[in-house]
Each structure stands twice: as structure tokens, then as C-alpha cells.
């Protein structure tokens, strides 16, 4: 008998290193002690680099804001004032007039960017931002009722804003509920509720006196004029409580992007995560609106721009907050200096930025469809 040599299996063709698929850009940082279990934290190097770059840009914008104005202050003198060793005149201008407004802009922008990222991830829709689905408009309605009907003070206006946002969000969530809050239904119901509340706001302004209507209209545009330390402290306290709660939702929100059924199979309590994210987002939106008015487009634009910068499909909560702070601070700087000495409401500039971004997105989609 002749021995038969078994056929050798063909070896797969080896691919050059450049053709190998690129691994996911997540790194694991493990903090542990000998003999004890460690804490593993995942982080994305590109997202961290983007966040660092945005922080540096926000810091540069802040220094520029503190140096410019009717009375220019050199950068070294601004740094001395911030270090606690400056000229008394410079100290008064920086610490009492410019720094509170700058900090308020940074904190309000961070709150809006973070809330926009939460809502868009829950809705899984780029239009699922609080100023599109009616939460910001509901907050403005509560504030207008307090201003024009009850003639209450500043603290009551903040309470009315928070109440209006909470009632509107509860109404939208309940109207969208059909055995669960479907994402597309949440956006559609929110747009309808926003249209109704906008009509109610217009009616309230039309029935008010000229002076009250004028001040209310400026507030509705979104403004940081006259903001002081009390507004900055309010936003700092809100972010100290709500920002950690939002960051804890990053992992379940990332898993929700795989689909609700898959996330539920992996142990995520889908409706509970959605409800908590909505509560945190509503709190951030309501307090930001109470401090600066319904500033448009920051919550809509910041998460989408960050997604393109990081090239990451995750929730991108921290970068969205930093970009929101940068956008609002830069818009407020332009609002102060563009037509100086006249100061524009910051909502005018953010509306221009948001409109340009929407035109860019529509043009890009049109080109993709033509191609």
C-alpha cells in the first residue's frame, strides 16, 4: 500500500501591519494596591486630548475677556489680580465686574452642553436637545408667569423657571409613554409642546405692559448682562451636585447605544437610566435658564461638534460640557465687544452660531445625498 500524505490546509494570507483593523481607542487605567483589588477606569486618549485642548481654549478666552473692555487691563496685571496681588482699581474691575460674568458664562455653558449630551443620548437623536423638545421653552414659561403675572423677585423667577421646566418635562415624558418612552415619540411630542408653550409666551408678552414686556423679551433672548457672584455661585452649586450624577450615567448610556434590548440583556435598567438622565438634564437646563435665560443652540451644537472632534460614538459628557462653556464664553465676549459700547444679549450670538452650524449640517447631508 502506498501511504497517502494528508492534504495540508492552505495558510491564510498574512496581511501587512497597515491593513490590520484599528483597535478601539480605549485604554484601561488600573489603580490598585498590592494584595487588594483595583479600580479600573476606561478612558479614550483622543477624547482626553480634545477635552484638554478645549480647556486651554476656554482659559485663553477667559483671560482675553478679563483684559478687554472700556478699560483695558494688561494680561500680567490680570494674572496678578487673580493671584491676589494686584492694583486696587484693577482688582475691583476684574473681581467685581468681569470675573463673575465670565464664570457665570462658563458654568451656564457647561450645564447646557452637559444637558444637551444627556438628552441627545437618551433620545438617540441629534434634535433631542432641551431647546428643541420644549424643556427650555417650558422653563421660560414658568419664569414669564413669575415676572409678568406674579411680579415676583429674582429668587421667585428662578423657582418659576425650575418649576416650568420640571412640569414641561413631566408632561412630555408622560405623553410620549407607551409602555416605555420611545425616542422618536419623545422628540415629536417635545416639538409639539414647545410650539404650544411658545405661543403661550408670546401671549404673555403681548398682554404685559411695555416696560415688563421689554425686560421679559431681553430675558427670553438669553443674556448675561449684569450677572454677579450670586449667579456664579448658584451655577457652581448646581454643577457640583448634578455633574457627578451625570458622569455616573456615562457607562449605561454607552450601552444604550447598542439598542434597548441588548442593553437590557446586559443588565441595564433602561427606563430607570432614561428617567434619571432626564431628571439630571432637566435640573441642569432649568437652573441654567433661571440664571441666563433660554440661551439657544448651545445644548444642540456642543454634543454634535464634540462627537465629530472625538470620532467617538459614546455620550462624550465631559467634552460636551467643556465645549459648551467655551462656546458661551466666546459668544458673550463677542456680544460685549462687537458693537461696543452697546452690549448685545448673548442669545443673539449663540443663535448665529447655531444657525451657521445647522446650515453646515444640511449642506453636508445634501452633498452626501448628491454623491
Amino acid at each position: 500500500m502506498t501511504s497517502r500524505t494528508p492534504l495540508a490546509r492552505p495558510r491564510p494570507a498574512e496581511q501587512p501591519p497597515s491593513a490590520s483593523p484599528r483597535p478601539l481607542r480605549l485604554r484601561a487605567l488600573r489603580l490598585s494596591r498590592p494584595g487588594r483589588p483595583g479600580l479600573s477606569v476606561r478612558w479614550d486618549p483622543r477624547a482626553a486630548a480634545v477635552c484638554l485642548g478645549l480647556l486651554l481654549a476656554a482659559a485663553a478666552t477667559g483671560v482675553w475677556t478679563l483684559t478687554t473692555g472700556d478699560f483695558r487691563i494688561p494680561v500680567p496685571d490680570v494674572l496678578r489680580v487673580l493671584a491676589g496681588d494686584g492694583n486696587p482699581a484693577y482688582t475691583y474691575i476684574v473681581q467685581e465686574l468681569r470675573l463673575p460674568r465670565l464664570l457665570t458664562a462658563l458654568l451656564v455653558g457647561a450645564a447646557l452642553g452637559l444637558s444637551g449630551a444627556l438628552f441627545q443620548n437618551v433620545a438617540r437623536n441629534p434634535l433631542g436637545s432641551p431647546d428643541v423638545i420644549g424643556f427650555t421653552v417650558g422653563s421660560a414659561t414658568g419664569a414669564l408667569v413669575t415676572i409678568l403675572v406674579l411680579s415676583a423677585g429674582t429668587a421667585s423667577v428662578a423657582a418659576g423657571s425650575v418649576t416650568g421646566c420640571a412640569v414641561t418635562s413631566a408632561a412630555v415624558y408622560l405623553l410620549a409613554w407607551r409602555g416605555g418612552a420611545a425616542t422618536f415619540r419623545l422628540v415629536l411630542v417635545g416639538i409639539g409642546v414647545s410650539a404650544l408653550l411658545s405661543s403661550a409666551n408670546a401671549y404673555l408678552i403681548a398682554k404685559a405692559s411695555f416696560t415688563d414686556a421689554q425686560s421679559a423679551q431681553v430675558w427670553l433672548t438669553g443674556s448675561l448682562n449684569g450677572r454677579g457672584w450670586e449667579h456664579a455661585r448658584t451655577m457652581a452649586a448646581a454643577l457640583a451636585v448634578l455633574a457627578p450624577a451625570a458622569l455616573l450615567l456615562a457607562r449605561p448610556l454607552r450601552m444604550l447605544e447598542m439598542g434597548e434590548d441588548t442593553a437590557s440583556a446586559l443588565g441595564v435598567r433602561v427606563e430607570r437610566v432614561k428617567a434619571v438622565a432626564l431628571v439630571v438634564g432637566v435640573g441642569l437646563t432649568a437652573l441654567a435658564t433661571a440664571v441666563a435665560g433660554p440661551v439657544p443652540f448651545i445644548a444642540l451644537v456642543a454634543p454634535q461638534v464634540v462627537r465629530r472632534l472625538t470620532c467617538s460614538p459614546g455620550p462624550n459628557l465631559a467634552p460636551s460640557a467643556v465645549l459648551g462653556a467655551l462656546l458661551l464664553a466666546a459668544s458673550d465676549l463677542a456680544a460685549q465687544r462687537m458693537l461696543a459700547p452697546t452690549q448685545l444679549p448673548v442669545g443673539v450670538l449663540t443663535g448665529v452660531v447655531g444657525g451657521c452650524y445647522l446650515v453646515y449640517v444640511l449642506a453636508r447631508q445634501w452633498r452626501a445625498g448628491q454623491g
Side-chain angles (χ1 to χ4, degrees), residues 151-213:
S151 300
T154 304
S156 299
V157 171
S161 176
V162 173
T163 303
C165 188
V167 171
T168 303
S169 61
V172 170
Y173 192 78
L174 292 176
L175 290 173
W177 182 271
R178 293 293 185 276
T183 55
F184 71 92
R185 192 183 299 118
L186 191 69
V187 174
L188 292 178
V189 171
I191 292 175
V193 171
S194 177
L196 291 174
L197 292 177
S198 297
S199 300
N201 294 346
Y203 173 78
L204 289 173
I205 292 178
K207 298 295 289 184
S209 64
F210 177 77
T211 304
D212 291 342

Side-chain angles (χ1 to χ4, degrees), residues 263-292:
S264 180
L266 293 174
V268 177
R269 298 184 178 182
V270 175
E271 294 303 327
R272 177 179 293 184
V273 170
K274 285 184 178 182
V276 173
L278 287 175
V279 168
V280 174
V282 165
L284 291 168
T285 302
L287 291 170
T289 305
V291 168

Side-chain angles (χ1 to χ4, degrees), residues 107-108 110-112 114 162 230-246 279-291:
L107 295 171
V108 169
L112 291 175
L114 187 56
V162 173
E230 64 277 11
H231 302 95
R233 293 190 190 99
T234 299
M235 286 309 305
L239 284 173
V241 174
L242 296 175
V279 168
V280 174
V282 165
L284 291 168
T285 302
L287 291 170
T289 305
V291 168

Side-chain angles (χ1 to χ4, degrees), residues 12-106:
E14 294 184 358
Q15 306 225 350
S18 59
S20 59
R22 188 176 181 181
L24 187 64
R25 293 186 307 275
L26 288 177
R27 301 289 186 270
L29 176 64
R30 190 169 183 85
L31 306 175
S32 61
R33 294 181 180 178
R36 294 186 181 182
L39 174 63
S40 181
V41 179
R42 289 185 175 182
W43 61 288
D44 185 347
R46 176 159 181 165
V50 168
C51 198
L52 179 60
L54 294 174
L55 282 172
L56 293 176
T61 303
V63 172
W64 189 6
T65 301
L66 295 178
T67 59
T68 58
D70 296 334
F71 188 83
R72 295 186 63 85
I73 302 176
V75 174
D77 291 319
V78 169
L79 297 178
R80 290 191 193 97
V81 169
L82 296 179
D85 183 23
N87 184 291
Y90 291 165
T91 301
Y92 174 78
I93 294 173
V94 171
Q95 293 189 356
E96 300 300 327
L97 301 180
R98 297 179 183 175
L99 186 58
R101 177 170 179 162
L102 171 63
L103 292 178
T104 303
L106 291 172

